[in-house]
Amino acid sequence: MSQRISLTRFLIEEQHLGHISADLRQLIAIVARACTSIAITVSKGALGGALGDAGTGNIQGEVQKKLDVLSNEILLEANAWGGHLAACASEEMDHCQPVPDIYPRGNFLLLFDPLDGSSNIDVNVSVGTIFSVLRCPEGINAATDEHFLQPGRRQVAAGYCIYGPSTMFALTIGHGTHAFTLDREQGLFVLTQRDIRIPEDTREFAINMSNHRHWETPMQQYVDDLLAGREGPRGQDFNMRWIASMVADVHRILTRGGIFIYPWDKKDPSKPGKLRLMYEANPMGMLVEQAGGAAYNGRERILDIQPDQLHQRVPVFLGSKNEVAAAVRYHTQAD
Ligand code: AHG
Ligand code: MN
Ligand code: MN
């Protein structure tokens, strides 16, 4: 086997190339180590006492799983004392949480979905952790929610950890997208996919079809044409996959291409989609773009969206760039 490059070595080499600062390197290393702790708990399943509901709810209006709460705590504790961070924001917390006063503060803002795909935990299907890193605005020591409201193109790093048959850590720091596989014996991530490239075309789509009757007309038309296959306007047959853990669906797309869609639906018109911009769509959007893919809300680039609230939702179309362009055309032509 060719020389193994650990995540630690990869990050130090990226720092020597001037792609990241020592503080950002430390932040990413700490997040990866926290994900290793989460991976150990997830893999214990029923034996770890961490399955089932926590008996609490979150700002999303969702019932929290024990692992949602535990993963959130693991990430907060890991990032509190290092001095690299000003504040954290999480799907599981109403507001951002500045680093405690007893610790030094740094120049980065960390956002995360500590446990993505929660509905899959109790049925032993892959779940994950998603994270995004922004710069804290100059001169701000006590960051508040408003300081997080930056468009996704301002992210300095983004990634996820997928807790699947193997545990993998996907990362971009703005110079490509790379994947690392956890060596459990040594407790370290090893580079296994450098410079991932998403095929520009695909014949595989990922969507929750049960919402079909609630979609906008162009969305229904786009999917109906996929289903019409070879005899239809697309002239070829398509396959469908839907894992209902965004991390797992996106990991498949980074690995072999595809288009992932969670569109707007009229089930709850007050919500412009199910997925959250700041800690799901933005980090996944950066990872996918850095791998040669595209990420749109149906009409505009996700990373250009100016957020106006921390937990705002957004429709998501991401993956193989030519297929995302095709789906966007159905919407822009309908407009
Ligand atoms: P989370 O568990 O963090 O709330 O995220 C779940 C999201 C995402 O992972 C997935 O793509 C989507 O919910 C699945 O939604 P449906 O259950 O409506 O298909
Ligand atoms: Mn999620
Ligand atoms: Mn979650």
Side-chain angles (χ1 to χ4, degrees), residues 91 113-118 128 130 245-247 275-276 279-280:
E91 174 186 296
D113 175 359
L115 215 292
D116 173 66
S118 302
I130 309 171
S245 292
M246 186 185 197
V247 171
L275 300 176
R276 281 62 49 137
Y279 39 80
E280 289 174 318

Side-chain angles (χ1 to χ4, degrees), residues 19-252:
H19 292 165
I20 48 172
S21 65
D23 265 5
L24 181 54
R25 173 170 61 78
Q26 181 190 348
L27 197 177
I28 295 167
I30 284 174
V31 169
R33 205 165 312 129
C35 289
T36 305
S37 304
I38 296 169
I40 290 166
T41 302
V42 167
S43 65
K44 286 179 181 167
L47 302 178
L51 294 187
D53 293 351
T56 50
N58 62 16
I59 194 170
Q60 321 289 342
E62 293 161 346
V63 171
Q64 288 176 309
K65 298 285 188 180
K66 287 178 188 166
L67 265 175
D68 283 323
V69 177
L70 181 62
S71 308
N72 193 58
E73 286 162 3
I74 289 171
L75 282 157
L76 289 175
E77 282 156 17
N79 283 287
W81 43 266
H84 52 280
L85 206 54
C88 288
S90 166
E91 174 186 296
E92 304 305 335
M93 301 190 303
D94 295 7
H95 298 289
C96 75
Q97 182 169 300
V99 164
D101 289 331
I102 56 171
Y103 298 121
R105 285 190 181 150
N107 306 316
F108 294 108
L109 301 175
L110 175 65
L111 303 97
F112 44 81
D113 175 359
L115 215 292
D116 173 66
S118 302
S119 66
N120 281 324
I121 297 167
D122 298 342
V123 296
N124 200 29
V125 166
S126 299
V127 293
T129 297
I130 309 171
F131 69 94
S132 167
V133 185
L134 295 166
R135 282 194 182 79
C136 188
E138 281 296 315
I140 297 295
N141 183 272
T144 60
D145 290 359
E146 65 182 289
H147 299 119
F148 284 78
L149 302 183
Q150 304 175 32
R153 65 174 179 273
R154 295 260 193 81
Q155 292 174 105
V156 293
Y160 61 75
C161 193
I162 177 169
Y163 312 115
S166 67
T167 293
M168 293 186 73
F169 188 77
L171 173 70
T172 180
I173 51 177
H175 296 268
T177 293
H178 317 281
F180 303 79
T181 301
L182 181 63
D183 176 334
R184 285 176 179 270
E185 275 89 42
Q186 299 197 35
L188 54 83
F189 282 104
V190 178
L191 180 64
T192 45
Q193 282 172 281
R194 187 191 282 271
D195 266 332
I196 293 169
R197 305 307 296 167
I198 299 175
E200 296 188 346
D201 296 296
T202 184
R203 297 176 54 178
E204 194 162 70
F205 66 99
I207 196 162
N208 181 339
M209 285 296 290
S210 69
N211 297 320
H212 186 285
R213 64 188 183 284
H214 302 302
W215 296 334
E216 293 180 75
T217 304
M219 186 60 221
Q220 291 172 330
Q221 191 57 60
Y222 167 70
V223 169
D224 293 348
D225 287 353
L226 295 179
L227 295 175
R230 197 189 317 262
E231 294 74 37
R234 298 300 305 270
Q236 56 182 353
D237 291 338
F238 283 78
N239 189 21
M240 195 195 104
R241 287 285 182 274
W242 185 250
I243 304 173
S245 292
M246 186 185 197
V247 171
D249 282 312
V250 172
H251 188 74
R252 184 189 59 252

Side-chain angles (χ1 to χ4, degrees), residues 216 218-219 264 296-302 315 317 327-335:
E216 293 180 75
M219 186 60 221
W264 176 91
Y296 276 66
N297 69 355
R299 291 165 173 90
E300 64 175 312
R301 182 185 179 226
I302 283 178
F317 296 68
V328 168
R329 263 196 308 280
Y330 277 73
H331 289 76
T332 50
Q333 283 166 4
D335 294 347

